[in-house]
Amino acid sequence: MNLVKKVLKSRPAIAFAASFLVTMLIFAAFGYAPFGLKSVAGADANIQYLDLFAYLKDVLAGKNSATYTMSALLGGDEVATFAYYLMSPLNLLVVFFQKSQLPIFYDILLALKLSLSASSMAIFLKHRFPKITGKFQLFLAMSYPFFLATQHRRN
């Protein structure tokens, strides 16, 4: 029980939870999935990533191969594509979603990745800058993923 209390009071856990909550509030306010019909999967993500997640879902269900597939034009080697785009352990969560729900999965995956980056930044700041107060470290840790997200949207 003490371990659970320690984790819940830790800056990385607070940064993760707060970032996830803020991301979900933003999604709800602007009508993005899972609270609305829009998805942050725009441009390439809508064309490329959603198809790749559908392919991953087929691979995990045994309906396709991770090494070679005929669905790539006239057939093609998928090892590089699989390794580069689909090897994140978080992508395994795709098994809990239907193919029609892949935009929802993409949005939740984005929220999880942003939250994990906030948690990682909290750990980094604690060890690299121990003289900074805990509240300011938490503020910086939570700011980091949203700064990254705004930079990504510009490019």
Side-chain angles (χ1 to χ4, degrees):
M1 190 64 174
N2 287 335
L3 179 63
V4 173
K5 286 182 182 180
K6 256 184 162 176
V7 168
L8 292 177
K9 289 183 179 181
S10 72
R11 279 185 221 125
I14 293 169
F16 179 90
S19 296
F20 191 80
L21 179 65
V22 167
T23 305
M24 287 294 125
L25 288 173
I26 291 169
F27 286 175
F30 291 100
Y32 288 102
F35 305 104
L37 298 177
K38 295 190 288 185
S39 175
V40 293
D44 285 349
N46 195 21
I47 298 166
Q48 186 176 10
Y49 274 100
L50 296 183
D51 286 345
L52 287 172
F53 288 137
Y55 165 68
L56 177 62
K57 190 161 179 57
D58 286 345
V59 168
L60 294 173
K63 297 177 185 175
N64 214 330
S65 170
T67 57
Y68 188 87
T69 181
M70 287 299 288
S71 63
L73 299 173
L74 297 174
D77 187 13
E78 291 298 307
V79 174
T81 302
F82 199 83
Y84 187 78
Y85 292 103
L86 299 173
M87 288 303 290
S88 170
L90 293 176
N91 291 346
L92 295 175
L93 295 173
V94 76
V95 300
F96 299 110
F97 295 84
Q98 297 173 1
K99 285 186 180 180
S100 62
Q101 297 172 320
L102 288 178
I104 297 170
F105 169 69
Y106 185 85
D107 290 2
I108 292 172
L109 185 67
L110 175 68
L112 286 171
K113 288 182 177 184
L114 289 174
S115 301
L116 284 171
S117 68
S119 185
S120 299
M121 180 56 92
I123 294 168
F124 170 75
L125 291 171
K126 180 181 177 185
H127 293 287
R128 178 64 177 92
F129 302 104
K131 292 182 181 179
I132 297 176
T133 64
K135 289 180 183 176
F136 192 59
Q137 282 181 359
L138 188 60
F139 171 76
L140 290 173
M142 285 184 56
S143 300
Y144 175 70
F146 299 110
F147 172 75
L148 289 179
T150 60
Q151 296 306 305
H152 175 70
R153 294 297 283 172
R154 286 185 189 174
N155 296 331

